[in-house]
Amino acid sequence: MKDIARELGISVATVSRALQDSPRISETRREQIKAYAREHNFTPNLLAESLRHSRQKPLKIIGVIIPELAHYYFSSILSGIEEEASSRGYRIMVAQSDEQYEREVRICQSFYENKVCGIIVSQAKDTRNYDHFQRLIDNGVPLVFYDRICTGINASRVVVDDYMGAYKAVSHLIDTGCRRIAYYGSPMQLEISKNRFNGYKDALLKHGLPVDEDLYGICDNRADAEAITPAILTRSNPPDGFFAVNDDTAIGIMYTAKRMGFRVPEDIAVCGFTNGQRAVACDPMLTTVEQRGRTVGSEAADILIGQVEGDIPIDKTVKRVVRTRLVIRGTTR
């Protein structure tokens, strides 16, 4: 702005006001200044501008913590957050916890030091201490959880109906002939894991089937699914169906079963949970529960921006549930 002011023989304040469309500057002068800025590829530094005014107004930069960027569901949530934030004049600053508690703590501290207006987060798998989240709240930073929520923290959250999604999926497996259904889930300290397991268990009980401890365990990625499934399928009484906590795990089950000579879905039926791009890239295409990640992200951003702008009291806990949908394809009968 100093360069523009010097070249046009005006004050820096005039340049600043013109670039912000201040009515104090004539339309002719504003257009002259903007034209010069465009010709010389001038763009304002949004972070510096926010920091300069941080005492008068909250920064329009939202911190977003993603457990893993490579995961389709989390990347779709990020798209929803960015879309909603951008439409309302906000920018996002994204960091990946890589499922590590210590890294998550450092990211929260970094976001706080960089004066983000609020933080949207899905906690890492191994997070069991929540002091770093409570410190943010105690310091007046709006915090919204999505997907993996922290029940020990009084903060707003957006989740999908994990229980009902799992219940409907397992009920579909039963309705199409499965009687011994295995469940591969995430660590049980996560709320989503508890909800999906309860949906699985209640569907079995509702249909008069036993809950067999030998048929469920912790397995939430393709590599582990391919490692443990052979032993399960070579038992004297193997499962005839699988419900997995995510699509990658389900695909690992399916390909392992096929390599072992089982037919999918005639011998082994498989259902996942996500409805990502890989669900339609496998053969047969995967029956799965659609989580609607973009909607989850949009809702989380809407709550956070509402708290930042005062439309939602910062001490009010907002809870929103996004409905899931069972998408039936070729891996179930």
Side-chain angles (χ1 to χ4, degrees):
M1 287 193 291
K2 290 179 180 178
D3 292 340
I4 296 173
R6 183 178 61 253
E7 291 299 320
L8 298 181
I10 54 180
S11 70
V12 173
T14 298
V15 175
S16 177
R17 293 189 184 107
L19 294 175
Q20 296 180 57
D21 283 321
S22 170
R24 297 172 60 182
I25 309 300
S26 69
E27 184 176 347
T28 301
R29 176 64 85 179
R30 290 203 306 266
E31 185 51 41
Q32 178 193 23
I33 293 169
K34 288 182 179 180
Y36 185 91
R38 286 193 299 268
E39 290 170 7
H40 293 80
N41 299 312
F42 170 82
T43 56
N45 185 319
L46 297 177
L47 179 58
E49 178 70 9
S50 294
L51 289 171
R52 190 166 70 88
H53 292 292
S54 61
R55 293 183 180 179
Q56 291 82 35
K57 60 184 180 182
L59 307 186
K60 287 204 165 187
I61 301 173
I62 298 170
V64 181
I65 303 178
I66 301 285
E68 49 179 325
L69 286 166
H71 196 293
Y72 171 82
Y73 180 55
F74 292 129
S75 65
S76 65
I77 289 174
L78 183 59
S79 294
I81 293 172
E82 198 281 331
E83 189 175 280
E84 179 68 20
S86 178
S87 71
R88 297 171 68 171
Y90 287 74
R91 299 289 185 269
I92 64 173
M93 184 183 295
V94 183
Q96 176 180 248
S97 68
D98 201 25
E99 303 289 13
Q100 298 174 31
Y101 164 74
E102 295 293 344
R103 184 178 175 87
E104 184 179 83
V105 172
R106 292 195 300 271
I107 292 169
C108 286
Q109 181 62 29
S110 175
F111 279 168
Y112 179 71
E113 292 171 355
N114 281 281
K115 301 184 184 296
V116 297
C117 65
I119 296 174
I120 299 174
V121 57
S122 179
Q123 72 176 62
K125 283 181 187 176
D126 65 352
T127 295
R128 291 174 175 80
N129 183 310
Y130 312 112
D131 291 349
H132 53 304
F133 294 137
Q134 189 60 55
R135 280 194 297 271
L136 292 170
I137 295 172
D138 292 344
N139 284 309
V141 179
L143 187 67
V144 177
F145 286 95
Y146 67 90
D147 189 53
R148 302 178 192 163
I149 64 173
C150 176
T151 56
I153 297 293
N154 187 31
S156 297
R157 71 278 310 266
V158 180
V159 296
V160 301
D161 55 346
D162 292 293
Y163 172 88
M164 189 54 64
Y167 182 89
K168 288 181 178 179
V170 176
S171 294
H172 169 67
L173 289 170
I174 296 169
D175 291 342
T176 53
C178 294
R179 290 298 176 267
R180 285 182 55 76
I181 302 170
Y183 171 69
Y184 287 3
S186 296
M188 290 301 286
Q189 79 266 14
L190 298 173
E191 196 68 16
I192 62 168
S193 301
K194 297 174 186 176
N195 291 336
R196 292 180 193 178
F197 176 74
N198 286 335
Y200 157 80
K201 180 179 66 175
D202 287 353
L204 294 177
L205 295 174
K206 177 71 174 180
H207 290 82
L209 298 177
V211 180
D212 187 342
E213 292 185 4
D214 291 334
L215 291 179
Y216 59 82
I218 304 303
C219 175
D220 60 3
N221 60 76
R222 178 169 179 168
D224 287 349
E226 292 183 353
I228 71 172
T229 301
I232 294 175
L233 289 179
T234 53
R235 292 174 180 172
S236 58
N237 190 14
D240 55 4
F242 286 83
F243 172 59
V245 72
N246 57 48
D247 287 355
D248 281 354
T249 303
I251 291 169
I253 295 167
M254 178 180 67
Y255 276 102
T256 300
K258 289 173 67 177
R259 282 198 304 269
M260 295 176 66
F262 291 93
R263 298 171 300 164
V264 177
E266 292 84 359
D267 301 323
I268 304 291
V270 182
C271 182
F273 206 114
T274 300
N275 197 32
Q277 295 172 341
R278 294 174 186 172
V280 295
C282 56
D283 181 25
M285 291 191 289
L286 184 67
T287 293
T288 185
V289 179
E290 183 177 51
Q291 290 182 272
R292 300 174 61 203
R294 279 182 176 268
T295 302
V296 171
S298 177
E299 293 286 345
D302 179 64
I303 294 171
L304 186 75
I305 293 171
Q307 291 178 330
V308 169
E309 297 184 347
D311 297 326
I312 300 174
I314 194 170
D315 59 349
K316 180 180 179 180
T317 300
V318 179
K319 301 177 182 178
R320 294 183 188 172
V321 178
V322 176
R323 294 189 179 279
T324 55
R325 178 174 69 98
L326 181 62
V327 181
I328 300 173
R329 297 194 180 100
T331 57
T332 54
R333 302 167 195 142

